[in-house]
Amino acid sequence: MPKSKSHRIGTLSPEMALLGQLFRASAHGYDLHRTVVADLGQVWHLSQSQAYSILHRLEAQGDVWVDEIPQEKLPPRQLLHMTDKGRERFLNWLEVPSAGGSTRAIRMELVTRLYFLAQYFPEKIPLAFEQQRVETQRHILRLEKSRAQLPPEQVYNRISLDMRLKQLHTVLEWLDESRQLFI
């Protein structure tokens, strides 16, 4: 796994939570949505319409393709399949830690990443924790440097940095505690 890259989605999206379900087998959108809600419902709050919108975007991006299955007196069902491009994108995403400075990204993306690693590549879980820890520590050092350079009158910037630093130190503790669940 690369050590210096970090993954950043402009706005956090359950895109990989849906795409990753197709890694093992093709499925219908309804089933993908149901699985994400059942297994990751505390991580991603995903409506059915949002799931279908994301699946359409994944199709437009070339990450999935749709096989229409005719039904009598009903619209055709759509069976979604992961493309080679989607497979490569998903596998690359599994290898990269979440951006170290966003506790929200770590909570959502790392937990989703661990979910899929446990299913498909459990031997990679310790490395995922270590990479996230390193990425988080790097960000802590950057924030501490920024805080040290602030003039004393920058009270609001200082208290904002203090809060972010406390959150990231808590993330480090959480990473260590959560890692124990996988040993």
Side-chain angles (χ1 to χ4, degrees):
M1 286 189 189
K3 293 189 181 198
S4 61
K5 291 198 297 187
S6 67
H7 176 71
R8 186 81 166 140
I9 295 177
T11 58
L12 291 173
S13 167
E15 200 171 272
M16 289 300 168
L18 289 164
L19 186 61
Q21 300 296 335
L22 294 170
F23 185 78
R24 181 179 323 208
S26 300
H28 298 282
Y30 176 80
D31 296 327
L32 294 172
H33 171 258
R34 197 174 69 211
T35 301
V36 170
V37 169
D39 294 352
L40 296 168
Q42 293 301 314
V43 180
W44 299 104
H45 301 286
L46 179 66
S47 70
Q48 195 166 350
S49 63
Q50 183 185 17
Y52 283 119
S53 176
I54 292 168
L55 291 169
H56 287 297
R57 184 172 66 232
L58 289 170
E59 181 184 10
Q61 292 172 185
D63 293 324
V64 302
W65 65 276
V66 176
D67 185 15
E68 291 198 350
I69 302 167
Q71 301 183 97
E72 261 186 60
K73 299 181 183 180
L74 292 172
R77 288 199 73 192
Q78 295 188 335
L79 185 63
L80 296 137
H81 307 272
M82 182 181 270
T83 64
D84 289 341
K85 179 185 175 198
R87 178 181 286 287
E88 181 180 343
R89 187 166 167 248
F90 174 70
L91 291 172
N92 287 337
W93 176 81
L94 283 177
E95 302 281 327
V96 180
S98 299
S102 169
T103 55
R104 185 170 184 254
I106 293 168
R107 178 182 63 82
M108 298 171 90
E109 291 180 343
L110 178 63
V111 171
T112 304
R113 192 172 287 113
L114 291 170
Y115 169 80
F116 288 119
L117 287 173
Q119 290 180 50
Y120 306 135
F121 307 104
E123 71 281 2
K124 292 185 177 186
I125 290 174
L127 185 56
F129 273 107
E130 184 54 33
Q131 286 182 314
Q132 191 62 61
R133 182 172 237 296
V134 167
E135 178 66 19
T136 303
Q137 288 171 322
R138 278 189 198 135
H139 201 75
I140 287 171
L141 291 174
R142 282 192 297 269
L143 291 177
E144 286 174 342
K145 184 178 177 183
S146 293
R147 185 179 62 184
Q149 294 172 349
L150 281 177
E153 65 273 6
Q154 291 286 318
V155 174
Y156 302 105
N157 287 325
R158 181 174 313 283
I159 63 175
S160 177
L161 285 172
D162 287 345
M163 181 180 181
R164 291 173 63 198
L165 283 163
K166 286 182 186 298
Q167 288 175 327
L168 290 174
H169 283 289
T170 300
V171 165
L172 290 177
E173 291 175 24
W174 173 81
L175 286 168
D176 292 340
E177 291 168 5
S178 298
R179 185 180 189 155
Q180 296 303 311
L181 298 171
F182 296 93
I183 293 177

PDB file of all heavy atoms in Angstrom, residues 27 111 125:
ATOM      1  N   ALA A  27     -25.316  -7.712  -8.649  1.00  0.00           N
ATOM      2  CA  ALA A  27     -26.501  -7.591  -7.797  1.00  0.00           C
ATOM      3  C   ALA A  27     -27.440  -6.531  -8.367  1.00  0.00           C
ATOM      4  O   ALA A  27     -27.067  -5.734  -9.220  1.00  0.00           O
ATOM      5  CB  ALA A  27     -26.097  -7.219  -6.371  1.00  0.00           C
ATOM      6  N   VAL A 111     -13.974   3.082   8.218  1.00  0.00           N
ATOM      7  CA  VAL A 111     -14.869   2.005   8.668  1.00  0.00           C
ATOM      8  C   VAL A 111     -15.381   1.216   7.458  1.00  0.00           C
ATOM      9  O   VAL A 111     -15.425  -0.013   7.481  1.00  0.00           O
ATOM     10  CB  VAL A 111     -16.027   2.562   9.526  1.00  0.00           C
ATOM     11  CG1 VAL A 111     -17.072   1.498   9.802  1.00  0.00           C
ATOM     12  CG2 VAL A 111     -15.482   3.124  10.841  1.00  0.00           C
ATOM     13  N   ILE A 125      -5.791  -5.796   6.997  1.00  0.00           N
ATOM     14  CA  ILE A 125      -6.375  -4.921   8.026  1.00  0.00           C
ATOM     15  C   ILE A 125      -5.312  -4.254   8.898  1.00  0.00           C
ATOM     16  O   ILE A 125      -5.371  -3.043   9.112  1.00  0.00           O
ATOM     17  CB  ILE A 125      -7.430  -5.675   8.860  1.00  0.00           C
ATOM     18  CG1 ILE A 125      -8.659  -5.952   7.983  1.00  0.00           C
ATOM     19  CG2 ILE A 125      -7.808  -4.900  10.112  1.00  0.00           C
ATOM     20  CD1 ILE A 125      -9.714  -6.814   8.638  1.00  0.00           C
TER      21      ILE A 125
END
